Amino acid sequence: MPRCAQCRSELPATATSCPACGTLHEADPDQTVEVSPPRRVHSDRSPRSSGPSFSRPASETSRFAPGQVLGERYRIVSLLGRGGMGEVYRADDLRLEESVALKFLPSSLAEDPISLRRLQGEVRVTRQVTHANVCRVHDLVEVEGETCISMEYIDGEDLASLLRRIGRLPQDKGVEIARQLCAGLASAHSRGVLHRDLKPANVMIDGRGRVKINDFGIAALVELAADDENFSGTPVYMAPEVVRGEAATPRSDIYSLGLVLFELFTGRRAIDADSFSAIRRWHESGPPDPISDSAELLGPEVADAVRRCLDPEPERRPSSALLVSSMLPGGDPLLEALAAGETPSPELIAAAGEAGTITRRSRWLLVGATFLGLGLVSFFDRDARLTEIAPMEHTPDALEFIARTFVHDLGHDDPPLDSARGFYRRGSLVQFIDENDVSADRWERLHLSAAGVVQFWYRQSTERFVPTARFGGRVWETDPPQTSPGMITLVLTAAGKLVRFSAVPSPEIREEVFVRTVDWNGVLGFCGFDATRLVEEKPQQYPPVPFDDFRAWTGPLSGIEGVTSHIEVAAWRGRVVHVRVRDEWTVSQRRGEGRIPGKFLSTIDDPATLILFLIPLFAGAWFGIANLRAGRSDRAGAFRVGVVFVILNTAVWVIRAHHVGSLEDEKRLLVRMLSEAFFMAVFAWFLYLAIEPTIRRHWPLKLVSWTRLLRGRSGDPLVGRDLLVGIVCGVGMACLSRAHWIVAAVGAATPPAPLGMNFSILDSPRQAIGQVLALMTESTFTAIVALFLLVLCLLLVRKKWAAYALIFVLGILRIPYDTATESLTLDLAFRALAIAVLMIALDRSLLSMLGALFVYSLLREMVITLDPNAWYLTQGIVAVAVIGGTALLLGRCACRPSPSRPRSRTNALSSTARSSG
């Protein structure tokens, strides 16, 4: 065994540096070597570096002769090769009757415990990788007192020998081999295995032209490679950071892959050096670009892939071998990864998906369908919307002026320091009519109610309102509670009639209040009653504020016959402090007992909502933690999803919240908001970690546009196309909900309940913008939950089509749908159609489903009217214009100038994946 010229210690055959003193010793650049970090030794000799002269080891005779039987099982056929890391023989396995390859350590290392442990490690690491382009390892066996590896025998030659024989490969054959090489290396990396010695000599080509990566002798697990003090590999194929003594990473293998690809297509090496020290100097001096002289041989796409692989900075290299494959001409690495049973990485999904461009004809068809659907929604809303049946006469500013006038006329003259206002729908009135009136004109009675179906509330206070987190920092009719003196809450109908009034009186005693008298008839007039037609009676319910005079009346609303109302008014020290109006409907015909069949779908909402919230909460945390520990999740994507939730929730709070003047109160509101925002962000983060690996494994096409958008490619044509498809599907769902109402109403003796809306968005443009952002958050969260339920269904039924069927049934039961009629069959039919449209969006991509949910929710909550005299006409026009304009913009983004592009293999993959799904 050779000895170190510095300290005379024995040198292993594969070492280029002394393990005792660290002195470098030159070796063959084609031979796999291991370099240890220098250690301080006591020597009276001055240290010196070795001179650069590579030399191959002298040839030796075969250790085993052909025909020799080892261990009564393996009959040696021939010596296949010998290198620094071992000797490989072809042998016949007499027990299994097949050819195998036996790898032995060199004779000089056969008794070395370190080398034996490395041999055991090679088996342990290589058996974790099972791929068609990786040499299969059978077992670690002991024969004739020696330990060897039994592995797959490959009838062919290594790539180095092939290149020496023919020079270089033709472009098409080179791409085919390069793609297989990328697939095999990607499989090893997906199992957390680094090869660390990728070179042409370790790439076998069998008789059918298939690539087999072999010789994982110095391979290591990714998590262990960082702790390895030695850096190993073949110097001429080492990455710059490995040559410098840094730990190897998957991107180090990518660098070696680039060198192999360069040699594959050009027939020569990219690094021209004849010694380890020369290689180190070559990397340190900023090597010239080897691609420039060989661009014609490589071709533009291969040259770009090789150039990116050979980037000196590891973080700028492709993150995966499959991503390198996607840069090569032709083929589809995503298809190859799925066919090989691999889970494609997020980077590969973003890079390997189709371009997403559409023809101008398809663009105008989609945009036209959007505008046609918006027109149908506007036309149907003329008959189906609650605002069309019970019109809103006054603007919010006008109603606020009326409310302030009432407050003044009722004897409250203290100037307010803070105020708030808003609309809401009196759902109990609609429900009461729906359950108790079966007449054909029952919904025309909505405007007969003294309380009104649409109500406007106004609050003022002599102190600042500090809301709780219950309504996202907004002041509401009951939040904050009315407890402080000077707080006044007032509710009006849309026609400006007083429905409810409550004021907390001041505890201060003022002499002038005792001389006041309450104008009871005036208060009744504010509520729309004629005092001469009312009958005074005993009050039924005490007011929540102090009072010293309390009266009640019963009678018809002014100008309306057949409707009886009850009004209660309380006063304290000459000021009105409480007013309450209630309807008492006289209905000639009532429903029978029992559950209405058409209402079944709405009776399960509350328990189902609770269950469908708790399941994702706990199961998402469980699977998310499991995927994190296994290293399967897209952590960067999940982090971006969480950041988006925090940003959107914060923006909603900033826009919609009722901000106060006190810094302390504002800080308290901010803390509450951030706690809610981070809870939703962490919830969505865990859900994304839980579902993303499974979706990426079974339905990768659903994540292509989503992944591109998360990586900042908002202008990508595929992002635009998928969002445009989602908009069309969302408009289609809105049209179905209106058509459902029209079909149920035509010829029916009892028309269905009118379609509602979110009246709070009518308060001000600020509230409308905030609601749009809130709908973005809700739609994103709903889309992720839907995918999570799809994953759970897949785990339960094990079949993709069965998982789709199960999620289809869940959607029919749980979709937030507008219309519920007496016909269960009709309700199920239209719900099934709406879910089918949503499933089309889901089948396209996660981004399409998100767009569909957002547009559908927006059209559910916005008021779209064709009445030119309606004060909320502008809001509907803006909503339609925003949706239509977005569709035009997305169509322009996704449209391609030439319609003659051939169908790609990715499109074929899309069709195959969807049909199999």
Side-chain angles (χ1 to χ4, degrees), residues 46 122 139 156 159 162 194 218-219 221 244 268 314 329 358 382 384 465 480 527 576 621 694 712 764 807 828 833 906:
S46 59
E122 178 178 357
D139 203 356
L159 183 59
L162 178 64
L194 300 179
I218 62 172
L221 297 177
R244 293 193 298 267
R268 63 182 181 85
I358 57 177
R382 182 183 58 179
F465 286 122
C527 300
V576 176
T694 304
S764 63
I807 201 69
L828 287 176
L833 288 174
T906 305

Side-chain angles (χ1 to χ4, degrees), residues 372-383:
L372 176 61
L374 292 174
L376 291 175
V377 168
S378 303
F379 180 77
F380 290 152
D381 276 358
R382 182 183 58 179
D383 299 319

Side-chain angles (χ1 to χ4, degrees), residues 49-174:
S49 61
S50 58
S53 61
F54 279 63
S55 61
R56 295 184 178 274
S59 60
E60 301 176 8
T61 59
S62 298
R63 193 187 316 181
F64 305 107
Q68 183 178 352
V69 178
L70 305 179
E72 299 181 355
R73 178 174 179 178
Y74 302 103
R75 182 174 56 230
I76 300 297
V77 177
S78 62
L79 174 67
L80 295 177
R82 177 186 295 116
M85 304 306 294
E87 300 173 349
V88 182
Y89 292 83
R90 177 184 175 182
D92 293 331
D93 189 331
L94 303 179
R95 186 177 303 171
L96 299 180
E97 297 182 353
E98 66 176 9
S99 295
V100 297
L102 299 179
K103 179 180 178 179
F104 293 86
L105 288 172
S107 301
S108 58
L109 301 176
E111 302 298 330
D112 182 21
I114 297 179
S115 300
L116 289 175
R117 284 198 300 270
R118 179 180 291 128
L119 198 67
Q120 296 170 357
E122 178 178 357
V123 176
R124 183 169 55 254
V125 169
T126 310
R127 291 188 65 171
Q128 298 186 37
V129 185
T130 55
H131 192 272
N133 298 120
V134 175
C135 181
R136 187 172 66 255
V137 172
H138 300 315
D139 203 356
L140 186 68
V141 296
E142 187 171 346
V143 292
E144 305 296 330
E146 296 194 34
T147 303
C148 67
I149 297 176
S150 172
M151 64 181 70
E152 174 187 7
Y153 168 67
I154 303 171
D155 184 14
E157 63 179 323
D158 62 73
L159 183 59
S161 167
L162 178 64
L163 293 177
R164 284 195 300 268
R165 184 164 53 84
I166 66 174
R168 69 179 182 87
L169 295 178
Q171 182 79 7
D172 55 347
K173 186 63 177 178

Side-chain angles (χ1 to χ4, degrees), residues 444-458:
E444 295 180 3
R445 297 171 177 264
L446 285 175
H447 68 279
L448 305 181
S449 171
V453 67
V454 179
Q455 296 183 338
F456 174 84
W457 61 267
Y458 169 78

Side-chain angles (χ1 to χ4, degrees), residues 312-333:
E313 298 298 329
E315 61 272 8
R316 294 204 295 258
R317 298 173 200 155
S319 58
S320 70
L322 287 180
L323 191 56
V324 177
S325 180
S326 69
M327 303 175 189
L328 301 177
D332 191 334

